[in-house]
Amino acid sequence: MPHTQTQSSTPRLIAVSNRVQVETDGENANRGGLAVALAAALRQSNGIWFGWSGEQTEEFTGQIAFRRADGVATATIDLEAQDIDEYYNGFANRTLWPLFHYRLDLTEIARDFAGGYARVNERFADTLSPLIAPDDLIWVHDYHLMPLGSQLRARGFANRIGFFLHIPWPPPSLLMSLPGHSDLARGMLDYDVIGFQSEEWRQAFIDYAAVQFEATIDGDALRLGERCTRLLVCPIGLDIADFSGAVHSIAAKQAETRLVASAVGRDMIVGVDRLDYSKGLQERFAAYERLLADHPELREKISLLQIAPPSRGDVASYRQIRAELDALSGHINGAYASIDWVPIRYVNQGYSRDELFGIYRAARVGLVTPLRDGMNLVAKEYVVAQDPADPGVLVLSRFAGAAAQLPEAVLVNPHSIEEIAEGIARALAMPLAERQERHQAMLATITRHDVRWWSETFMAALAEEPGQAPGPAPTADPASDSAPADSAPANVARLRDAASAQR
Ligand code: GDG
């Protein structure tokens, strides 16, 4: 699909991510925030979303399947078995994911993985190249595609290219345990803009670049020789408008009613996580057991519902955590259950987004305790789903990116089972006025910094020509009221006006 430049001055957006997921199947659609945010930006600029279809092919051909879903043009390629093995299951999910979540113990280093990662990034660059027009803005997503910017530069593209990292950036000493770390990080400086979920991850990147490359920081830009890369803190948010609808949907109401009926007279505690070792589930279960042991008065009065749909089942460490959690929940139920009370309901099944909102709303406590998390959207979803007149309490890991934005949560160290247990006890005992106050503050932040704010802030930085005066500083603390970021940056507003004038 070669691009014919429209008369509008709106630059076209090309979004690139490992998977392309635009789902359109009605109220049960499990549309991620990313899909929603990108879809809006892509529609506005008549853009295109490029990535892997999720399908396997006998031999890689580079053939692109073009589709249009929900008003968004998508271009996908299939990958061959070796690519999926070495790039996706290998380097992305067995090397980078654990390493970037501080799990050196689970990080697998293999030459084949690194080779597959480089090969697939080259394949992405080769197949994407014919689609790129000179004025296109290119926005690459996440750890699967870190070298794509360099690959495109090597093919001569001078477009504005940005990258958003959805997961943490690890401290320099951890990153240095990865063979080839220097090339990987150096390649990042071929991007014009890099977005991070929190100041902590941005600072870790600066620390590494300062030590390894003697790069200098100039305002919010990192300079190395001729290259200048802008480093933004730009935390991802929720599609607030859509979620407000979900909270009041029939499916949400039914799920809430069902859950409340199943726990009459008991306070529900809920956790919702992909089954992943970064989410701190073993520590969470152990903390719940500690709570029951230390607070006998709470036995039979509370109930933990943990929803954990399996993910990445092709990777051994994910199968192992599943076995451990099965054993741990069985052990706790065996030790504490009575004939009419089950302490933990542990469910390995996914629910529709609407049902999930009913479940969040029925819970007195939202338990979100990842050991490390780039952001954690469940924390924000739990807050949005609450009844403002009688809200539940969010117990949140200090080590989730969301903690920087939501200091009004009960913040806990997710490695300390005592601290989590006491956090839950505190949440259960919290008076209504304090719950309301905390909830109101968090809801205001989440509403202000929603997913549209996120994509508009990033796009504004990407659209800015070098040397142009920066717009409102997106590096300002997004949790603070003084952050100017709640209004759409001016140049994005201009782009939007141009786009709607065209319609
Ligand atoms: C990565 C980063 C960052 C979960 N179970 C069900 C379900 N979910 C939805 C949740 C939430 C999403 O999945 C999970 O998002 P998280 O942000 O919590 O975590 P990751 O999947 O690890 O995402 C993370 C994110 O990227 C975005 O940048 O925040 O830090 O690790 O939306 O609701 N959805 C439905 N049924 C389920 O059973 N429908």
Side-chain angles (χ1 to χ4, degrees):
M1 191 193 284
H3 181 49
T4 42
Q5 197 77 39
T6 61
Q7 301 210 313
S8 147
S9 60
T10 309
R12 185 176 73 152
L13 170 64
I14 298 183
V16 191
S17 61
N18 171 52
R19 291 289 304 276
V20 170
Q21 281 167 316
V22 185
E23 300 191 23
T24 51
D25 51 352
E27 70 171 38
N28 280 341
N30 181 8
R31 293 196 307 169
L34 180 63
V36 172
L38 289 183
L42 288 165
R43 266 188 237 111
Q44 263 167 30
S45 74
N46 205 12
I48 189 162
W49 188 355
F50 181 87
W52 176 32
S53 60
E55 299 296 326
Q56 184 178 317
T57 180
E58 193 80 10
E59 196 178 337
F60 180 77
T61 61
Q63 195 179 335
I64 304 177
F66 292 101
R67 291 200 181 81
R68 184 166 280 277
D70 220 6
V72 175
T74 63
T76 56
I77 51 173
D78 300 341
L79 294 178
E80 61 189 37
Q82 193 181 353
D83 291 340
I84 298 171
D85 223 38
E86 295 174 350
Y87 150 81
Y88 179 66
N89 288 323
F91 201 73
N93 286 338
R94 288 162 70 179
T95 308
L96 291 178
W97 176 272
L99 181 66
F100 279 49
H101 287 87
Y102 297 50
R103 292 301 299 269
L104 199 48
D105 56 323
L106 297 176
T107 302
E108 296 177 52
I109 307 282
R111 243 186 232 142
D112 291 353
F113 291 176
Y117 185 70
R119 183 179 64 247
V120 171
N121 271 273
E122 282 168 25
R123 287 181 164 175
F124 265 60
D126 285 335
T127 22
L128 179 59
S129 290
L131 307 186
I132 300 173
D135 292 335
D136 289 342
L137 300 175
I138 303 171
W139 186 2
V140 180
H141 288 265
D142 229 0
Y143 61 102
H144 312 86
L145 299 173
M146 290 196 280
L148 186 61
S150 307
Q151 289 293 340
L152 292 173
R153 298 282 181 232
R155 285 159 182 75
F157 290 101
N159 300 56
R160 298 279 294 165
I161 310 180
F163 178 88
F164 187 81
L165 183 67
H166 290 258
I167 66 174
W169 184 271
S173 53
L174 271 181
L175 186 56
M176 285 174 186
S177 58
L178 179 72
H181 58 88
S182 183
D183 290 344
L184 189 75
R186 174 69 187 74
M188 296 289 284
L189 301 180
D190 278 324
Y191 290 107
D192 295 297
V193 180
I194 305 175
F196 298 91
Q197 302 268 31
S198 79
E199 178 58 32
E200 188 179 354
W201 320 138
R202 187 180 94 107
Q203 193 55 51
F205 184 84
I206 293 172
D207 291 346
Y208 177 91
V211 170
Q212 192 72 19
F213 309 130
E214 297 182 3
T216 53
I217 188 87
D218 172 8
D220 65 0
L222 195 81
R223 291 185 188 278
L224 182 66
E226 296 289 285
R227 288 295 312 156
C228 171
T229 300
R230 203 159 158 210
L231 306 179
L232 300 182
V233 175
C234 186
I236 195 165
L238 302 182
D239 182 10
I240 284 290
D242 195 38
F243 283 171
S244 305
V247 175
H248 300 293
S249 66
I250 294 170
K253 200 78 220 147
Q254 283 170 343
E256 184 183 354
T257 309
R258 198 170 147 201
L259 216 60
V260 169
S262 76
V264 179
R266 294 193 178 112
D267 281 333
M268 285 275 313
I269 301 162
V270 76
V272 175
D273 307 77
R274 260 188 322 100
L275 194 53
D276 191 297
Y277 48 78
S278 67
K279 303 295 182 185
L281 291 163
Q282 289 103 316
E283 290 78 2
R284 189 181 306 174
F285 281 13
Y288 183 66
E289 181 177 21
R290 173 61 60 91
L291 180 72
L292 296 175
D294 289 355
H295 292 269
E297 75 284 2
L298 290 177
R299 293 180 204 161
E300 311 229 1
K301 295 280 187 303
I302 58 176
S303 162
L304 170 63
L305 171 63
Q306 177 63 54
I307 294 174
S311 69
R312 304 177 191 170
D314 292 339
V315 178
S317 49
Y318 285 77
R319 293 194 295 272
Q320 190 183 334
I321 176 197
R322 186 166 182 179
E324 282 175 28
L325 290 171
D326 284 349
L328 211 48
S329 57
H331 159 78
I332 296 169
N333 283 338
Y336 289 97
S338 63
I339 50 167
D340 60 355
W341 174 56
V342 183
I344 298 191
R345 275 178 280 175
Y346 169 50
V347 185
N348 284 134
Q349 168 193 328
Y351 288 87
S352 74
R353 187 205 45 188
D354 290 0
E355 288 172 308
L356 217 51
F357 272 72
I359 294 168
Y360 289 143
R361 202 173 168 94
R364 170 58 69 218
V365 178
L367 197 49
V368 183
T369 55
L371 303 178
R372 287 286 154 184
D373 220 329
M375 171 52 53
N376 196 295
L377 292 175
V378 169
K380 295 182 173 181
E381 291 166 7
Y382 175 76
V383 172
V384 170
Q386 297 308 299
D387 174 1
D390 184 19
V393 180
L394 176 66
V395 175
L396 176 62
S397 162
R398 291 179 192 286
F399 304 139
Q405 284 186 292
L406 305 175
E408 300 85 2
V410 173
L411 296 179
V412 295
N413 174 352
H415 296 276
S416 161
I417 60 173
E418 286 86 4
E419 221 182 281
I420 302 173
E422 283 317 307
I424 301 171
R426 197 173 150 213
L428 288 167
M430 193 176 283
L432 177 63
E434 186 180 348
R435 284 192 273 127
Q436 285 173 331
E437 200 177 314
R438 287 171 182 257
H439 175 256
Q440 209 177 8
M442 290 191 283
L443 188 62
T445 304
I446 295 168
T447 307
R448 214 168 33 234
H449 300 290
D450 71 351
V451 79
R452 283 184 179 78
W453 170 84
W454 170 74
S455 69
E456 289 174 356
T457 303
F458 189 92
M459 288 291 291
L462 188 58
E464 232 162 50
E465 286 306 319
Q468 218 175 306
T475 45
D477 173 8
S480 120
D481 269 342
S482 61
D486 45 348
S487 61
N491 48 351
V492 168
R494 276 201 306 277
L495 296 181
R496 208 177 29 218
D497 291 348
S500 48
Q502 222 190 326
R503 269 183 231 126

